[in-house]
Amino acid sequence: MAQRSAAAKSTDRFERKREAILDAATHILNRKGIKGLTLGDTAAAVDLSTTSVTYYFKRKDDLAAACITRGIETLHDIADLATRAPTPPERLHSFLTRYLDVLKQTVEGTAPPLPIISELRALTSPRREEVATAYGRLFRKARQIFDHPDMLWMSRGRRTARTRMLLEQVFWGGAWLAKYDPEDYPRIRDRMVDIFIHGMATEKDEWAPAAIAMEKLAARDGPELARETFLLAATRLINRRGYRGASVDKISAELNVTKGSFYHHNEAKDDLVVACFERSFEVMTRAQRMAMELPGSQWDKLAACAAALAEFQLSDHGPLLRTNALTALPEQMRKVMVEHSNRVSDRFASMISDGIAEGSLRPVDPFIASQMLNATLNACAELGYLVPDVRPKAAASVFVRPLLMGIFER
C-alpha cells in the first residue's frame, strides 16, 4: 500500500510538472509560433534545465504537438457538452458560453492557456498527422451542432463549411477578445450568438451581391506580374504547410526557379511573408473601396465586398495569406502587420455602422461583426479543401452568406 501511495505521488508530481511545461510552452507558441518555440526557453520559463524538459518531450515538435492536442481536446469537450442541448441554436449558445468560460479561466490563470490550433500545419511528420487526427475528431463533433431534423435541408458540404466558419471564430477570438475584460464575455457571447442566428441583414434584404471582377482585384501587370506570381506561390505553400514548412527550397521548387532568384526578390524569408501579407491586405482594401463605389445600400456594398473576397480565395488569383502566419514574424514586423489587419477590419466596421445608420443592416455590434466577418473570410481559403466540388462563384453563398444572413438559414 505504501509503495502504491509513493508511486501515486510520483505520478502526480510528473503530471503537475508536465502540465507546467505545457502551459509555459503554449504561451511561447502563441507569441512566437512553432518557429520561435524552443525547449530552452520553455525550460527557463519553469525554472528547469533543458535536459529536464527533454525527459518529458524529446523534441520541439513533441512539445508543440502536445500543446496543440491539449487545446483541441479542450475544445472537443466543449463541443461534446454543447451537442447535448436539444436544438442547434441552444447548442451554439452552449458552445460559445463554454468556450468563453474557458477563456475567462485562462485569463484568470485557473485553466491552461488555449494554443493557436492552426500552428499544427507547421509540425513535421508524424506529429502533424497525429494532431490532424485529433482535430478531425473535434471537427466532426462540432459539426453535430447542425444535426437536427429541422436541418435536413442542409447538405453535408454546407454543414462542413458552416462548422469551419464557426470554429474559425473560436480560433480567431483569442486575438480580438483580448481587448475586453472577462466580465464582458457574457455580453460578447450574446452579441455573437445574435449575429450567428440572425445574421447582419434586415428582413427585407436579399442575397444578390453585385459582381466584382477578379482581375480588377488582382490588378497586377507588367513588371509586377512576375512578383505577383512569386507571392501567390509562396502564399499557397505557407497556407498549406505553415511558415516552417514553406522553406526557400520548396518555394523555389514550386516556381521552378533557383534560390538565387528567390533572394533577388526577397532579402529574407520574413520579408517574403510580409510581402504576402501586404498583397493580401491590398486585395482586401481594394475590394472594400470598389464595393463602396457601387450603387445601392450599405448592405449591397458589404455583401458585394464579402462575396468578391470569398470568390477570390478560390479563384486562380487566390488565396489570401492566412493570419496564422503572423506568429512566425519577428515581433516588430508582426505588430505592423496586425495594424494593417486592424485597418481592414475597422473599415468593415465602418461599413456595418453606416448600414445600421441607414437601416439596411440590423443593429449589431459593428466591431464584433467586423471581426467575425474577417475570421470568416480568412477561413474561406480552406473551402476548396473542405468542399472539393465548390466553384469559386458559389464560395460566397456556401461560406459567407450564412454569417451575413444567419447560420441556420437556408
Side-chain angles (χ1 to χ4, degrees), residues 255-280:
L255 281 171
N256 196 28
V257 299
T258 64
K259 289 176 67 174
S261 177
F262 173 93
Y263 288 112
H264 172 73
H265 287 289
N266 305 276
E267 292 184 10
K269 189 172 163 185
D270 287 345
D271 297 323
L272 174 64
V273 177
V274 168
C276 290
F277 268 123
E278 288 175 340
R279 168 188 176 270
S280 296

Side-chain angles (χ1 to χ4, degrees), residues 161-190:
R162 295 177 197 217
T163 301
R164 182 65 190 88
M165 188 256 280
L166 172 60
L167 287 176
E168 185 66 19
Q169 306 303 326
V170 170
F171 300 156
W172 181 240
W176 62 268
L177 283 165
K179 71 172 289 181
Y180 291 98
D181 290 326
E183 65 188 51
D184 294 324
Y185 287 175
R187 179 177 61 85
I188 293 166
R189 185 257 341 266
D190 291 343

Side-chain angles (χ1 to χ4, degrees), residues 120-131:
L120 71 86
R121 291 179 179 82
L123 294 169
T124 56
S125 296
R127 295 292 173 256
R128 183 172 64 249
E129 289 76 15
E130 292 169 359
V131 177

